[in-house]
Each structure stands twice: as structure tokens, then as C-alpha cells.
């Protein structure tokens, strides 16, 4: 998940696109509660933020 | 609110901004890098705050609050989608922009394209596309100030006074000390935006709902439809798609990938911005939900925030007003500075090659002034069309994405491909937006998607039938060498 390869980051972006549209429209569409769409996007964004942090933390550290 | 309230709050706040700009001026030299990039020496916190304040305009507290008020959680999804893709784009592109900028002394993203594709017309076309697409978006910031001034004082302060105050302050900040001044005042403005929004949300939750638990249950009980995904899927894709590429295609933010003083600053810029965006988006969304409960039944969703402000004590409303003004002013000064750098470096410099560095800085300052005047004129017309032109900016700027991605990730990309895709793609996208506006009467999903596909096809189709620039391998090897040297 924390790869340096741009192709893997591209794949992650594609996967994110599918999940980001698929889950709200297929699974959560008619649920009128916070735990549905609101929590979904909050958690998904947090996961991307954590992913970003893990990618950033090794910048500037010689391999 | 009386005009005296507004004027007093703004005078105090602008005074602080001017003092910050004045001290920033003492810190800068006379070179182009000093003026446009703060000599590539911004620290992590200031880089992050200028990135945040530039990205998040008055749209968040007015437009997004209104969008949540009217269309519910889909607006939250739209804004969070933007944030997620921005983090991914920054992880992928920030090291490359930063290293290329240092290696080749690029001032503007368009200058980088000219170098990579070995044709300065590529940078010129990109600069022109950005100018055309960003002027309406920039004017919207001034219009927002005009509507706030007149709306909050019941017309006692005229619309034009808001437009002029906004233009004068943002123009001064940009001209006085360039990026140093803009970034320092942006840091102040970002803090103003965030803290004012937090205070308002806490006030509303505790005064109108009696606590966080009551707030969440009240929204879920009284306005359950806001928590449903009611957006048409095509509209969701059509609106989020161009915004997902914002970090790459909007030069006022992509230029900020050049400015960090070291790798630690670059890392902090991305991380702090991501945290800022996450918190700020959550707050503005919750404000939208709260507005649906506190001020229900508004016919104009954009009036949700002004209606909320009427319900809170004047002092708090003034703090929020200043926060919204700050959000618009920071976006305006940043865009004007970036457009000035692109017009100077990528348009004027190609015509008058022997212009001195001092002359370029002077020309840049004059350009900022011109951008402000043009935007103020646009804003004073109060065109209905400006809303569609502003929406077009994100879709229109998307035509630069294939060439920008190709700069680092496709050796086969050529100058002809970049030139024609941006010129023809930009024109087609613009026409599609106007056709959609005439037929639908508003924003719809397909102009940005079709415009992008046409642009991509042009870029790839023309490039594969052309010879790539001779220096492509050399450029990419040098960028990679710089990245290896810095441990990316």
C-alpha cells in the first residue's frame, strides 16, 4: 500500500474512484443516518490521509 | 449589522494584514524568485497555510454551506473527494515539481511545460487558458465581498464598496511583497478562517441545540433527507471530476509546490494542509446541516450563512464576516500573483526576450493591478453568466491535465500534442459549457467530462504521430537524479 511506484498510486486512485462512487450509490443511497454516507466519507478521507502520511514520512530519508 | 460594525472590524483586520505585508517586504530581495516564490524558502507551516487559504475560498462558508443546506451529504462527498485526490496528487507530483523547480529554476508551472516540451508556445497557451478560465473565478471572490457588504448592512454599504475593498486589499498584499507577503498574510487569514468557523459551530451547537448529541439527533430526526445521497450520479461525477484534479490544474496551487525551503517543509505543507482541509470541510458541512434546522425554508441556499449570521450576536457575526472576507481575499491575492507570473514569464517574456529581471518584477506588479481592475469590472457587471463561467474554470483548467501528467509520466508527449490539446480542448470545453447553460440553464455533468476526453484524445493522438522532444530523456533523468539526491 505504501509503494513508491507511480503505477501503484494510479491503481490506488482508480480503486478509490470506484469505492468513492460505488459504496454511496449502491449500498448507502437511501440510508438517512450519520453512520452511512457521512461517516463513510469521513473514514475514507481519514484512510487516504493516513496513507499520505505514511508515504511522506520517508521522504528525505536515504534508502 | 451597521456599516460602522463592518467598517470597524475590517479596518482592524486589514491593519493587521498590512502590518504583516510590511514586515514581509523587509524580508525579500529583488529577484523574480524572491517576488514570485519567496526565494523558495517558505517553512512548512506557512507553506501549508498559504496552500490552504489559496485553495479554500469564500465558497466554503457560503457555497458549500448552501449546497449542504439544499442538497445534503452529497456536497460533503464532493468536497471530501476533492481532498482525497489532492492528497494523492500532492504525494505523486509535489516531489517532482519541487525537484524540477530547483534543478531548472522554474517560476511557473507553464514555464516547466515549455521546457519539457521544448516549445515556449506550450507555456504561452497554458498561461492564456489559465487567464481565461480564472478571471471569472477570481471575480466571484470580489462579488462575494460586494454581496456580503450590501447584504449584511441591508444595503447601507453599496455592493461596489465590497468589490473595491476586496480588490484593493488583495492587490496591495500581492504587489507589496509578492509571495512572501501573500503567504504570510495567507497564514493569518487561514487561521482566521478556521477559528472563526470553529467558534460559530460551537456557538450554534450549544446555543441552538443544547449540545453535540442533541445537534446530531435533531438533524437526523428533522432533516433526514440531508443524510441521503440524493445527487444524480452523473452530476456527482461531472462536478467532482474536474475538482479531483484541482491540485494539478490550478496554477495558483500547483505553483506552491515550488516554494518549500526543504523536504521537511514540503512534507509539512502537504500534511498540515490535509489536516486543515479535513477539519474545515467537516465544520462547514456541519454548519450546513445546522442551518437547515435553525433557518429552514430559504429559497436561495446561498443565503443560508447570511441567515445564520443574523441569528448570532453581532460580535460573532463580525468574526465570521472577517473569516469569509479572509477566505476570498487570500484566494484573490494568490491567483492574481500567479496569473501575473504566468503573463510575465510565459507571454510577455516570449515577445520581449531581453527584458531585465527588475523589469519583469515591475511588469508583474503592473499585471497584478490590471488583473484586479479587470476582475473588478467583471464583478461590477453582476452577470448571471459569471456563475457558469466560474463553474467552467475547473472544467476548463482540466484541459491542462494531460500535458502536465505527460511532463513526468509519458515520454511520448510532444509539443504539438500539448499545444493543440490545450487550445482546441479549452475552446471545445468552453463551448460545451455555454451550450449546456443555454439548454439546461445551469451546471450539468457532461461538459467537463466530454471536454476532458476530447483533450486527452487530442494529446495522445497528435503526440503518437509526432517525434518526442530530443531532450525528454535528459529532463526526466535530471528530475529523477534530483529526487534520488533528496531521498524521495
Amino acid at each position: 500500500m505504501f509503494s513508491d511506484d507511480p503505477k501503484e498510486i494510479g491503481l490506488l486512485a482508480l480503486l478509490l474512484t470506484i469505492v468513492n462512487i460505488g459504496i454511496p450509490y449502491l449500498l448507502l443511497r437511501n440510508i438517512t443516518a450519520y453512520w452511512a454516507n457521512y461517516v463513510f466519507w469521513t473514514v475514507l478521507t481519514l484512510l487516504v490521509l493516513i496513507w499520505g502520511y505514511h508515504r511522506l514520512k520517508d521522504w528525505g530519508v536515504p534508502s | 449589522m451597521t456599516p460602522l460594525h463592518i467598517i470597524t472590524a475590517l479596518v482592524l483586520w486589514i491593519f493587521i494584514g498590512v502590518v504583516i505585508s510590511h514586515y514581509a517586504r523587509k524580508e525579500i530581495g529583488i529577484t523574480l524568485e524572491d517576488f514570485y516564490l519567496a526565494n523558495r524558502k517558505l517553512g512548512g507551516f506557512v507553506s501549508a497555510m498559504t496552500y490552504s487559504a489559496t485553495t479554500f475560498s469564500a465558497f466554503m462558508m457560503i457555497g458549500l454551506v448552501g449546497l449542504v443546506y439544499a442538497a445534503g451529504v452529497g456536497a460533503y462527498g464532493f468536497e471530501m473527494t476533492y481532498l482525497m485526490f489532492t492528497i494523492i496528487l500532492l504525494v505523486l507530483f509535489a516531489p517532482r515539481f519541487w525537484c524540477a523547480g530547483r534543478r531548472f529554476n522554474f517560476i511557473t508551472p507553464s514555464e516547466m511545460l515549455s521546457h519539457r516540451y521544448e516549445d515556449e508556445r506550450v507555456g504561452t497557451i497554458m498561461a492564456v487558458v489559465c487567464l481565461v478560465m480564472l478571471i471569472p473565478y477570481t471575480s466571484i471572490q470580489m462579488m462575494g465581498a460586494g454581496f456580503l457588504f450590501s447584504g449584511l448592512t441591508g444595503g447601507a454599504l453599496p455592493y461596489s464598496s465590497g468589490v473595491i475593498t476586496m480588490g484593493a486589499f488583495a492587490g496591495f498584499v500581492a504587489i507589496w511583497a509578492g509571495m512572501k507577503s501573500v503567504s504570510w498574510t495567507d497564514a493569518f487569514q487561514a487561521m482566521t478562517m478556521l477559528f472563526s468557523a470553529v467558534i460559530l459551530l460551537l456557538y450554534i451547537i450549544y446555543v441552538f441545540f443544547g449540545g453535540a448529541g442533541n445537534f446530531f439527533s435533531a438533524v437526523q430526526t428533522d432533516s433526514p433527507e440531508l443524510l441521503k445521497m440524493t445527487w444524480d450520479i452523473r452530476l456527482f461525477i461531472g462536478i467532482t471530476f474536474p475538482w479531483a484534479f484541482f491540485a494539478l490544474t490550478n496554477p495558483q496551487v500547483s505553483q506552491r509546490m515550488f516554494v518549500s525551503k526543504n523536504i521537511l517543509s514540503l512534507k509539512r505543507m502537504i500534511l498540515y494542509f490535509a489536516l486543515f482541509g479535513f477539519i474545515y470541510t467537516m465544520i462547514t458541512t456541519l454548519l450546513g446541516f445546522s442551518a437547515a434546522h435553525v433557518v429552514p425554508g430559504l429559497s436561495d441556499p446561498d443565503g443560508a450563512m447570511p441567515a445564520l449570521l443574523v441569528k448570532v450576536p453581532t460580535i460573532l457575526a463580525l468574526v465570521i464576516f472577517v473569516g469569509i472576507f479572509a477566505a476570498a481575499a487570500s484566494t484573490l491575492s494568490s491567483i492574481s500573483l500567479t496569473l501575473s507570473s504566468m503573463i510575465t514569464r510565459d507571454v510577455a517574456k516570449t515577445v520581449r526576450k531581453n527584458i531585465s529581471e527588475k523589469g519583469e518584477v515591475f511588469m508583474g506588479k503592473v499585471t497584478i493591478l490590471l488583473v484586479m481592475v479587470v476582475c473588478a469590472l467583471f464583478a461590477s457587471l453582476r452577470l448571471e453568466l459569471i456563475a457558469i463561467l466560474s463553474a467552467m474554470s475547473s472544467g476548463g483548467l482540466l484541459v491542462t491535465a494531460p500535458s502536465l501528467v505527460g511532463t513526468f509520466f509519458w515520454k511520448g508527449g510532444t509539443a504539438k500534442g500539448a499545444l493543440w490539446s490545450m487550445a482546441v480542448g479549452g475552446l471545445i470545453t468552453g463551448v460545451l459549457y455555454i451550450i449546456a447553460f443555454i439548454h439546461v440553464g445551469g451546471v450539468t455533468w457532461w461538459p467537463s467530462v466530454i471536454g476532458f476526453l476530447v483533450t486527452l484524445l487530442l494529446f495522445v493522438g497528435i503526440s503518437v504521430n509526432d517525434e518526442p522532444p530530443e531532450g525528454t530523456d535528459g529532463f526526466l533523468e535530471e528530475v529523477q537524479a534530483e529526487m534520488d539526491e533528496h531521498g524521495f
Side-chain angles (χ1 to χ4, degrees):
Chain A
M1 189 175 178
F2 304 126
S3 166
D4 288 339
D5 188 348
K7 282 181 187 166
E8 284 201 29
I9 295 180
L11 204 62
L12 175 76
L14 188 66
L15 187 70
L16 180 68
T17 305
I18 295 167
V19 170
N20 191 51
I21 296 169
I23 290 184
Y25 279 97
L26 294 176
L27 301 179
L28 308 174
R29 183 158 198 165
N30 291 315
I31 302 172
T32 56
Y34 277 102
W35 61 260
N37 290 296
Y38 185 80
V39 169
F40 166 73
W41 270 308
T42 304
V43 171
L44 193 63
T45 309
L46 262 180
L47 287 176
V48 173
L49 220 158
I50 292 167
W51 170 84
Y53 170 75
H54 278 277
R55 286 283 287 108
L56 294 177
K57 70 181 170 63
D58 293 332
W59 285 3
V61 179
S63 52
Chain B
M1 259 185 268
T2 66
L4 187 65
H5 286 137
I6 298 271
I7 291 167
T8 309
L10 266 188
V11 164
L12 277 173
W13 189 82
I14 286 176
F15 175 75
I16 298 172
V18 169
V19 170
I20 292 172
S21 293
H22 177 67
Y23 279 100
R25 190 179 167 93
K26 290 182 176 177
E27 296 271 324
I28 67 162
I30 56 165
T31 67
L32 271 177
E33 281 197 334
D34 278 311
F35 188 70
Y36 285 124
L37 299 179
N39 207 19
R40 301 181 205 272
K41 282 186 178 163
L42 286 189
F45 178 76
V46 174
S47 299
M49 291 306 104
T50 187
Y51 197 100
S52 303
T54 300
T55 297
F56 295 116
S57 65
F59 167 76
M60 294 295 282
M61 287 290 274
I62 302 283
L64 186 62
V65 168
L67 207 53
V68 173
Y69 178 91
V73 75
Y76 182 62
F78 151 65
E79 199 62 35
M80 282 304 194
T81 304
Y82 151 75
L83 185 60
M84 288 186 277
F85 279 90
T86 296
I87 293 169
I88 292 174
L89 285 174
L90 285 173
V91 166
L92 192 58
F93 283 95
R96 288 166 174 82
F97 269 66
W98 190 77
C99 288
R102 276 172 190 258
R103 194 76 156 197
F104 301 104
N105 296 318
F106 298 136
I107 303 282
T108 66
S110 33
E111 198 175 1
M112 186 172 73
L113 258 63
S114 291
H115 182 96
R116 156 66 177 82
Y117 293 109
E118 295 177 11
D119 189 333
E120 61 187 15
R121 289 175 303 174
V122 176
T124 305
I125 284 289
M126 182 181 168
V128 171
V129 168
C130 290
L131 185 68
V132 171
M133 299 300 171
L134 282 174
I135 288 285
Y137 179 69
T138 312
S139 305
I140 284 274
Q141 309 303 322
M142 288 185 178
M143 289 175 73
F147 287 127
L148 267 181
F149 271 49
S150 62
L152 290 177
T153 60
L157 284 176
Y159 169 88
S160 57
S161 65
V163 171
I164 291 168
T165 308
M166 171 68 72
F169 175 67
F172 167 81
V173 167
I175 290 171
W176 193 242
M179 178 63 89
K180 192 72 145 187
S181 169
V182 167
S183 59
W184 282 15
T185 50
D186 274 359
F188 169 59
Q189 297 184 105
M191 290 292 101
T192 309
M193 290 156 60
L194 189 61
F195 285 115
S196 61
V198 169
I199 292 167
L200 179 65
L201 183 64
L202 289 177
Y203 180 87
I204 287 174
I205 283 179
Y206 284 98
V207 172
F208 289 98
F209 294 90
N214 290 346
F215 165 70
F216 284 108
S217 60
V219 172
Q220 199 161 292
T221 310
D222 297 346
S223 315
E225 72 285 357
L226 292 182
L227 298 170
K228 269 169 61 174
M229 187 58 191
T230 53
W231 289 33
D232 182 280
I233 190 169
R234 292 167 302 178
L235 185 68
F236 184 75
I237 293 170
I239 292 182
T240 50
F241 182 58
W243 281 86
F245 285 90
F246 186 96
L248 188 62
T249 57
N250 275 251
Q252 72 275 21
V253 286
S254 66
Q255 192 177 38
R256 276 158 171 72
M257 290 190 267
F258 291 141
V259 299
S260 298
K261 71 177 172 190
N262 53 35
I263 299 164
L264 184 63
S265 297
L266 190 65
K267 287 158 74 167
R268 285 182 175 163
M269 179 184 91
I270 299 170
L271 189 63
Y272 295 168
F273 159 73
L275 288 170
F276 183 100
F278 184 67
I279 295 167
Y280 196 53
T281 304
M282 282 213 291
I283 291 170
T284 44
T285 303
L286 292 176
L287 284 171
F289 286 144
S290 74
H293 185 90
V294 177
V295 286
L298 298 174
S299 57
D300 174 20
D302 284 343
M305 177 54 75
L308 269 182
L309 293 187
V310 172
K311 301 257 182 186
V312 302
T314 304
I315 185 75
L316 180 56
L318 280 173
V319 170
I320 303 304
F321 163 73
V322 167
I324 296 170
F325 187 88
S330 54
T331 301
L332 185 57
S333 57
S334 297
I335 293 179
S336 67
L337 186 67
T338 297
L339 286 179
S340 147
S341 67
M342 294 175 89
I343 294 165
T344 309
R345 298 290 296 168
D346 305 303
V347 181
K349 183 84 174 172
T350 59
V351 181
R352 284 189 62 187
K353 292 190 187 308
N354 58 351
I355 186 168
S356 68
E357 201 163 354
K358 198 177 167 187
E360 274 191 69
V361 173
F362 177 74
M363 189 188 286
K365 290 179 179 179
V366 173
T367 309
I368 292 169
L369 198 62
L370 285 175
V371 168
M372 288 299 173
V373 170
V374 170
C375 289
L377 287 174
F378 244 95
S380 66
L381 294 173
R382 300 201 216 183
L383 295 173
E384 272 188 37
L385 192 64
I386 204 158
I388 197 73
L389 291 174
S390 181
M392 191 174 83
S393 73
S394 56
L397 288 173
L398 200 55
V399 303
T400 62
S403 302
L404 283 161
V405 173
T407 298
F408 297 109
F409 296 112
W410 189 39
K411 290 180 183 177
T414 69
K416 273 188 194 167
L419 267 175
W420 286 102
S421 66
M422 284 192 282
V424 179
L427 205 63
I428 289 174
T429 306
V431 170
L432 289 176
Y433 267 95
I434 292 167
I435 291 172
F437 181 66
I438 292 167
H439 285 279
V440 184
V443 180
T444 186
W445 66 273
W446 49 267
S448 63
V449 177
I450 295 175
F452 176 76
L453 289 176
V454 169
T455 305
L456 185 63
L457 281 174
L458 283 169
F459 180 62
V460 174
I462 294 172
S463 291
V464 293
N465 289 300
D466 193 19
E467 284 296 311
E470 285 178 5
T472 301
D473 285 332
F475 170 79
L476 293 175
E477 281 164 15
E478 286 202 53
V479 172
Q480 189 58 52
E482 191 82 14
M483 288 177 64
D484 292 343
E485 190 184 315
H486 287 95
F488 284 110

